[in-house]
Amino acid sequence: HPCTRCERPAVVFQPYSGMYLCKEHLIDDVTRKVKRDLRKYNLQPGTVAVALSGGKDSSALLYLLHKIFAPSRKVRIIAITIDEGISGYREKTIENASNLASDLEIPHTIVSFKDAFGRTLDDLMKESDRPPCSVCGALRKNLLNRTAKQLGASHLAIGHNLDDEAQTILINHLRGDIRRLVRLSHVNGRVQPDLVPRIKPLRHVPESEVVAYAGAVGLSVCPKACPYMDEAYRLGVRIFLREFEDLHPGTRHGIVRGFDRMIGALGDAYPPASLVPCRVCGEPCTGGLCQACKMLGRNG
Ligand code: SF4
């Protein structure tokens, strides 16, 4: 099928907009959406750290931010990769991450669970029966924030795409977890002491278009999935949303738009929780002991 904008062969179809896009116009479209999102964060001159796992989303994000900011040099881009210690899986994605950062000449810092917490995720899974993704997520969040702060970053950019965002919003709705739902907006660029604000510039780009974008600009992406992937609930929501999106294009956009409007209407009815330093590691948390230290069984 020809591209709606130029007649060249299309590489994607956007059922929600009715457009067919060729490689060049897909790149333009993704870049435009990311720039529009970035404007909302009102970034000042400084350093933005990209959480780079080496997967498709974070690789595409690093590439995009580099393309957008390299010419003006207003914002310096750096990359942080967390090595959780997942044998047989992480090695390849870390190699991808390193290659990409070095191709783009972006400063790249790799920090490991082993160095920071004394144990790899593989070690932790041998001694704990907690769900792997909860342990991994809490530790990664802690280490990313800590590292971004040490490197002087004003913001931490995360590669969440439209599908991830719609799934997370819907999961919190389905669980009736309003606090967690609202907290999702607090992490979107809000400033809190000691917490590097997170930004999600791919938040309006569907996952399939991130994949097509990564292919269009020639990024190497590892197709292997993490062996610990345990989020059955999220997977159910993901399948449901995909089917619903097929029947009713624009569903994901509607969920994210509705969420943003709801947050706007709520005003300060749910202010962000006040944060205190964790008594063990000093990272900001709500209850005096952060999630990462809880997962590690540290009590202070
Ligand atoms: Fe960690 Fe779960 Fe992601 Fe694997 S799938 S890297 S365990 S959060």
Side-chain angles (χ1 to χ4, degrees):
H1 203 285
C3 174
T4 310
R5 295 214 172 119
C6 72
E7 296 297 299
R8 276 182 290 222
V11 291
V12 293
F13 173 56
Q14 299 178 328
Y16 57 88
S17 72
M19 304 248 287
Y20 290 89
L21 297 176
C22 67
K23 211 160 105 174
E24 284 70 20
H25 282 112
L26 167 72
I27 293 173
D28 283 356
D29 193 63
V30 171
T31 309
R32 185 179 55 80
K33 284 173 180 158
V34 168
K35 282 186 174 168
R36 197 177 54 199
D37 238 284
L38 285 169
R39 275 198 291 276
K40 287 188 211 144
Y41 298 119
N42 192 21
L43 297 178
Q44 300 303 313
T47 301
V48 170
V50 176
L52 178 68
S53 70
K56 62 176 188 338
D57 299 297
S58 62
S59 299
L61 178 60
L62 185 74
Y63 187 90
L64 271 153
L65 293 186
H66 172 74
K67 287 277 166 233
I68 291 171
F69 289 117
S72 77
R73 295 175 180 268
K74 176 184 150 196
V75 171
R76 176 173 169 259
I77 302 296
I78 60 172
I80 302 174
T81 297
I82 305 291
D83 179 1
E84 300 92 345
I86 305 173
S87 121
Y89 166 67
R90 251 304 168 245
E91 299 85 351
K92 178 68 190 141
T93 55
I94 290 177
E95 189 188 314
N96 275 355
S98 301
N99 290 342
L100 180 61
S102 103
D103 285 352
L104 301 177
E105 297 178 15
I106 288 173
H108 185 206
T109 303
I110 305 177
V111 278
S112 70
F113 281 7
K114 176 88 181 159
D115 289 342
F117 306 116
R119 281 164 283 177
T120 63
L121 188 66
D122 287 341
D123 295 335
L124 285 160
M125 284 305 107
K126 280 180 209 137
E127 54 192 66
S128 156
D129 47 16
R130 289 183 195 268
C133 293
S134 317
V135 178
C136 183
L139 267 55
R140 188 176 43 235
K141 207 168 149 200
N142 179 299
L143 196 48
L144 273 174
N145 189 60
R146 213 196 285 180
T147 312
K149 251 187 306 187
Q150 281 163 1
L151 295 170
S154 68
H155 290 81
L156 182 64
I158 308 285
H160 281 195
N161 58 47
L162 177 67
D163 297 53
D164 298 325
E165 194 73 351
Q167 284 160 25
T168 307
I169 293 168
L170 197 55
I171 287 170
N172 288 315
H173 273 299
L174 293 172
R175 289 183 167 153
D177 197 339
I178 295 297
R179 293 214 166 266
R180 201 178 264 260
L181 183 67
V182 175
R183 217 163 62 202
L184 197 64
S185 79
H186 294 154
V187 296
N188 290 346
R190 268 243 208 167
V191 179
Q192 291 208 71
D194 256 358
L195 201 61
V196 180
R198 293 179 165 222
I199 61 173
K200 299 176 187 170
L202 291 179
R203 191 171 176 258
H204 290 99
V205 185
E207 182 173 328
S208 57
E209 291 173 39
V210 176
V211 174
Y213 177 90
V217 300
L219 298 177
S220 143
V221 170
C222 164
K224 239 180 169 183
C226 172
Y228 290 121
M229 178 81 83
D230 66 344
E231 296 187 294
Y233 197 95
R234 179 176 287 270
L235 187 66
V237 170
R238 183 187 168 91
I239 293 167
F240 160 76
L241 259 183
R242 194 170 279 178
E243 285 172 1
F244 213 73
E245 179 76 36
D246 283 347
L247 289 170
H248 307 284
T251 297
R252 292 163 303 184
H253 291 86
I255 292 173
V256 172
R257 193 170 52 240
F259 170 74
D260 288 349
R261 285 187 185 153
M262 186 192 77
I263 293 296
L266 274 178
D268 276 332
Y270 285 87
S274 33
L275 300 177
V276 292
C278 168
R279 63 174 177 269
V280 179
C281 72
E283 277 298 292
C285 66
T286 47
L289 186 66
C290 77
Q291 284 302 323
C293 288
K294 273 186 204 156
M295 297 290 177
L296 290 164
R298 295 161 159 180
N299 277 313

